[in-house]
Amino acid sequence: MSQFLRPALSALDPYVPGEQPQDKRYIKLNTNENPYPPAPGVMDAITREAVSQLKLYSDPTIAPLKQAIADCYAIKPENVFVTNGSDEALGFAFLAYADGSHPVTIPDISYGFYKVFAQLFQVPPKVIPLREDFSLPVEKFCSAGSMVVFANPNAPTAIALPLSEVERIVAFNPEHVVLVDEAYVDFGGESALSLIDRYPNLLVVRTFSKSRSLAGARIGYAMGNPALIDDLERVRNSFHPYNINRLSMLAGVEAMKDTAYFEDCCQRIMKTRQETAKALIALGFTLTESSTNFLFAAPPGISGKEYYEQLKERGVLVRYFGTERLSPYVRITIGTDEEMAVLLSKTREILKEANP
Amino acid sequence: MSQFLRPALSALDPYVPGEQPQDKRYIKLNTNENPYPPAPGVMDAITREAVSQLKLYSDPTIAPLKQAIADCYAIKPENVFVTNGSDEALGFAFLAYADGSHPVTIPDISYGFYKVFAQLFQVPPKVIPLREDFSLPVEKFCSAGSMVVFANPNAPTAIALPLSEVERIVAFNPEHVVLVDEAYVDFGGESALSLIDRYPNLLVVRTFSKSRSLAGARIGYAMGNPALIDDLERVRNSFHPYNINRLSMLAGVEAMKDTAYFEDCCQRIMKTRQETAKALIALGFTLTESSTNFLFAAPPGISGKEYYEQLKERGVLVRYFGTERLSPYVRITIGTDEEMAVLLSKTREILKEANP
């Protein structure tokens, strides 16, 4: 840290991403990536000719990708905002709607970045604890009196909120933007997208990183009323109008067009999730009901930390969060059936050693 | 604009990027892109296999690209910060060092985004007018009393400041960060990079968009003392740690490694610039001395606006800035010799019609 850094930022507690070892030795079940490759059309679209055209700027209106997203969800391009990963969409929404005198209401346990954005932009957070069973206390979000941000399904708890409950939160906060982060919705959640025409305060944020197998292409998007999208475009055009690079634009269009491939991948992941959950429960694990591409799981007889460390030693990476309420748990991404078989076999070894 | 947008942003005046027509009908000399393709290694690196790996997140430490940049300039990776285009580096620097009570000193005529960032982050700008001949009044920047941001060479004026003058500005502002935006330095400017070890307040910002032929890959970088880089990493890790996508990472490494190709492209552009400038002067144009990949040129007998419009009608796009001091001028990107021949031929037609 230098002497020049603004005092407000010196206490900043940046987000810590999951480990990304570059040596490829691990079975990576720690960052909720999709185990299946992008849709075949993605590989076909990124030709040598397309790469040589990198000399030219990308389309700052992001028109082809907005159109592909709009077509997929039967909405209009004016309902769509596109960003360099969904973190950027979240960041721009904070910039648009929150500041020192416009606070934000968030759950205590959720995607860690909400608190970080609040710190970065000096937004006072109103933090509402999840219930004992990690469910969202909906009534407390209904009288937020500020912008509301929450994930549905939630991470790392994996729990989904029914659409009727999401709608209650949106309907009871007509004076404030309600941002629903649906990064994981394609694995079994109910989307709030059908509500955007009725609620001018609803912003639905999505990502290509999970269900579209494009974590490395960095594409996020938000959907909402055209006036909200216009707000976000003002911020984007005041930050960097060329935020989407040419190759990600091509990749995103193809990934969005191939609905059959997308649905097949999601189905496979949900099937693997069900089987893995069943096996873990049989081993004595405590699990929440997952509507995501990961399991939130507490091993029997050992701490979350010990389980994480023992797995890592055996070549399997999962995500462990050290905070108090989460310490019995780890978050396990759903990989291929083969990867989950290794996880289960290593888990049996670990439990046997721990409870001989 | 919605009813929810923060009042501070409702007066925001976003940056207007140069026209990016998607129909490819124009000779595009309006956004300072490189007319030559990326280094051959870039096309070789982005294989079908690399594209299929987009399912995985990119390396959030950006290690390979930092190393390639460090190797190229004989500095250390700790001196290097990498962003999604240099706009993001500028934005993060504003976030790190400027706010409502920490103003920023900028020239009145320069890259338009400096003013936009000041607006977006509610930073009071101290705007210092360029001299009548568009040169930078160095002495006024020596007692700035705030963070300083300027471009060298400057845009759209194309004029370079000697390194000794840049050093004066850096040396006379030891209490504040001095950010030198060197987007165009490879076309004939003197870089301040050699000073980063001596001045802990100096930040040099560069881009792959111009001299490295990768505008569409969106890669910018900043170089400076490790403490400054650490500040910027804190902001990046609080905004989006995966800001560089996998394919741009590969492209950037290859573009940085191929010094011979890079130097050849820059030489060709400088030669074409010299010939084009000579031809325009012969036609009666007023030009500044360009150290960039563009010319800042005022046509004889007609306004900058008229010249821009007439060129556009004839299929050649250049950039026109409507503000008062710039109204006689247009900014003309240096393309290939063939493209400049068309520009000159259309220009002769236009001048003939205007001054029959």
Side-chain angles (χ1 to χ4, degrees):
Chain A
M1 203 186 307
S2 82
Q3 66 190 101
F4 309 106
L5 188 66
R6 287 196 294 133
L9 297 193
S10 57
L12 199 61
D13 195 11
Y15 180 74
V16 181
E19 299 159 88
Q20 293 286 5
Q22 299 301 310
D23 49 9
K24 295 189 182 168
R25 286 184 306 114
Y26 293 94
I27 291 184
K28 273 192 84 270
L29 306 176
N30 70 326
T31 49
N32 296 345
E33 289 145 332
N34 199 307
Y36 304 111
V42 173
M43 273 75 92
D44 296 339
I46 300 184
T47 59
R48 206 176 163 86
E49 170 61 16
V51 176
S52 79
Q53 291 300 307
L54 285 176
K55 69 179 183 179
L56 302 177
Y57 279 101
S58 48
D59 174 3
T61 69
I62 320 182
L65 187 45
K66 285 191 172 190
Q67 189 65 56
I69 295 169
D71 289 348
C72 181
Y73 295 113
I75 55 176
K76 294 193 176 133
E78 304 88 84
N79 295 116
V80 182
F81 179 67
V82 183
T83 51
N84 186 36
S86 64
D87 288 342
E88 194 178 70
L90 297 169
F92 288 169
F94 268 78
L95 267 172
Y97 305 117
D99 61 19
S101 47
H102 296 84
V104 64
T105 299
I106 56 176
D108 67 338
I109 296 169
S110 192
Y111 183 39
F113 236 114
Y114 308 149
K115 283 180 197 167
V116 176
F117 281 126
Q119 277 192 289
L120 179 64
F121 300 126
Q122 279 114 64
V123 176
K126 298 165 74 168
V127 179
I128 295 181
L130 296 186
R131 295 201 196 91
E132 193 61 36
D133 65 355
F134 298 114
S135 65
L136 196 86
V138 172
E139 64 294 345
K140 291 194 180 148
F141 284 84
C142 285
S143 52
S146 82
M147 181 185 184
V148 174
V149 177
F150 65 98
N152 187 39
N154 196 16
T157 64
I159 299 171
L161 200 63
L163 179 57
S164 56
E165 299 288 275
V166 173
E167 181 167 6
R168 269 181 68 203
I169 296 174
V170 177
F172 274 94
N173 288 286
E175 299 300 318
H176 298 282
V177 169
V178 175
L179 186 159
V180 186
D181 182 351
E182 295 189 344
Y184 298 104
V185 78
D186 295 323
F187 303 105
E190 283 184 280
S191 176
L193 181 58
S194 62
L195 305 178
I196 62 169
D197 279 343
R198 273 188 287 146
Y199 296 99
N201 62 326
L202 170 62
L203 204 55
V204 173
V205 171
R206 299 269 187 97
T207 177
F208 281 67
S209 296
K210 317 297 179 187
S211 55
R212 303 277 170 183
S213 299
L214 284 176
R218 315 306 303 125
I219 316 171
Y221 55 111
M223 297 177 287
N225 188 285
L228 292 184
I229 302 305
D230 183 60
D231 295 342
L232 297 173
E233 288 293 358
R234 290 173 74 85
V235 175
R236 187 176 73 89
N237 285 317
S238 304
F239 197 90
H240 52 156
Y242 295 107
N243 59 336
I244 303 298
N245 70 86
R246 289 182 82 91
L247 301 183
S248 293
M249 191 103 68
L250 293 172
V253 168
E254 295 303 322
M256 203 37 89
K257 269 160 57 177
D258 197 339
T259 304
Y261 181 83
F262 158 77
E263 283 174 356
D264 182 54
C265 287
C266 291
Q267 287 301 328
R268 285 160 79 179
I269 288 166
M270 286 189 279
K271 184 163 173 287
T272 305
R273 177 183 73 205
Q274 197 176 8
E275 289 161 2
T276 308
K278 208 170 141 186
L280 289 174
I281 288 168
L283 289 170
F285 274 72
T286 305
L287 296 187
T288 56
E289 176 78 26
S290 173
S291 300
T292 64
N293 69 337
F294 58 87
L295 294 168
F296 187 54
I302 56 170
S303 68
K305 184 157 190 266
E306 199 177 338
Y307 179 52
Y308 153 77
E309 284 168 352
Q310 295 273 341
L311 278 176
K312 187 171 178 183
E313 224 165 74
R314 288 167 171 80
V316 179
L317 273 184
V318 299
R319 186 94 200 248
Y320 169 69
F321 301 88
T323 58
E324 199 195 332
R325 276 184 75 188
L326 302 183
S327 63
Y329 292 85
V330 299
R331 191 191 68 187
I332 305 169
T333 304
I334 303 301
T336 60
D337 286 333
E338 295 70 31
E339 289 172 325
M340 301 324 274
V342 176
L343 170 89
L344 289 170
S345 137
K346 301 296 179 192
T347 297
R348 284 188 197 99
E349 274 178 41
I350 294 165
L351 294 184
K352 208 165 178 181
E353 282 182 24
N355 314 296
Chain B
M1 205 187 306
S2 82
Q3 67 192 100
F4 309 106
L5 189 67
R6 288 197 292 135
L9 297 193
S10 58
L12 199 61
D13 195 11
Y15 179 73
V16 180
E19 299 159 89
Q20 294 286 5
Q22 300 301 311
D23 50 9
K24 296 188 183 171
R25 287 187 303 115
Y26 293 94
I27 292 184
K28 272 193 84 272
L29 305 176
N30 70 326
T31 50
N32 296 344
E33 288 144 333
N34 198 307
Y36 304 111
V42 173
M43 272 75 90
D44 297 339
I46 300 183
T47 59
R48 206 174 164 88
E49 169 61 17
V51 175
S52 79
Q53 290 300 306
L54 285 177
K55 68 179 182 179
L56 301 177
Y57 280 101
S58 48
D59 175 3
T61 69
I62 319 182
L65 187 45
K66 284 191 173 191
Q67 190 65 56
I69 295 169
D71 288 347
C72 181
Y73 296 113
I75 55 176
K76 294 193 176 131
E78 304 88 85
N79 294 116
V80 182
F81 179 68
V82 183
T83 50
N84 185 36
S86 64
D87 289 340
E88 196 179 69
L90 297 170
F92 287 169
F94 268 78
L95 267 173
Y97 305 117
D99 61 18
S101 47
H102 296 84
V104 64
T105 299
I106 55 176
D108 65 338
I109 295 170
S110 193
Y111 183 37
F113 236 114
Y114 308 149
K115 283 180 197 169
V116 176
F117 281 126
Q119 277 193 290
L120 180 64
F121 300 126
Q122 278 113 67
V123 176
K126 298 164 73 169
V127 180
I128 296 181
L130 297 185
R131 295 201 196 92
E132 192 62 35
D133 64 355
F134 297 114
S135 65
L136 197 85
V138 172
E139 64 293 345
K140 292 196 179 147
F141 284 84
C142 284
S143 52
S146 82
M147 182 186 183
V148 174
V149 177
F150 65 97
N152 186 40
N154 196 16
T157 64
I159 298 171
L161 201 63
L163 179 57
S164 56
E165 298 290 274
V166 173
E167 183 168 5
R168 270 180 68 205
I169 296 173
V170 177
F172 274 94
N173 289 286
E175 300 300 318
H176 298 283
V177 169
V178 175
L179 186 160
V180 187
D181 182 350
E182 296 189 344
Y184 297 104
V185 77
D186 294 322
F187 302 105
E190 282 184 281
S191 176
L193 181 59
S194 61
L195 306 178
I196 63 169
D197 280 343
R198 275 189 285 146
Y199 295 99
N201 61 327
L202 171 61
L203 204 55
V204 173
V205 171
R206 299 267 188 98
T207 177
F208 281 67
S209 297
K210 318 295 180 187
S211 56
R212 304 276 171 183
S213 301
L214 283 176
R218 314 306 305 123
I219 316 171
Y221 55 112
M223 297 178 288
N225 188 285
L228 291 185
I229 301 305
D230 183 59
D231 294 342
L232 296 174
E233 288 293 359
R234 290 173 75 84
V235 175
R236 187 177 74 89
N237 285 317
S238 304
F239 198 90
H240 52 155
Y242 295 108
N243 59 336
I244 303 297
N245 70 86
R246 289 183 82 92
L247 301 183
S248 293
M249 191 101 70
L250 294 172
V253 167
E254 295 303 322
M256 203 36 88
K257 268 160 59 176
D258 197 339
T259 305
Y261 181 82
F262 159 76
E263 284 174 356
D264 181 54
C265 287
C266 290
Q267 287 302 328
R268 285 161 79 180
I269 289 166
M270 287 188 279
K271 185 162 172 286
T272 305
R273 177 183 73 205
Q274 196 176 8
E275 289 161 1
T276 309
K278 208 169 140 186
L280 288 174
I281 288 168
L283 288 171
F285 274 72
T286 305
L287 295 188
T288 57
E289 175 78 26
S290 172
S291 300
T292 64
N293 69 337
F294 58 86
L295 293 168
F296 187 55
I302 56 170
S303 68
K305 183 156 191 269
E306 200 177 337
Y307 179 52
Y308 154 76
E309 284 169 352
Q310 295 272 341
L311 278 175
K312 187 170 178 185
E313 223 164 77
R314 288 167 171 81
V316 179
L317 272 184
V318 298
R319 186 95 199 248
Y320 169 70
F321 301 88
T323 58
E324 199 195 333
R325 274 184 76 188
L326 303 183
S327 62
Y329 291 85
V330 298
R331 190 191 70 187
I332 306 169
T333 303
I334 303 300
T336 60
D337 286 333
E338 295 69 32
E339 289 172 327
M340 301 323 275
V342 175
L343 170 89
L344 289 170
S345 134
K346 301 296 179 192
T347 298
R348 285 189 195 98
E349 274 179 39
I350 294 165
L351 295 183
K352 208 164 177 182
E353 281 182 23
N355 315 295

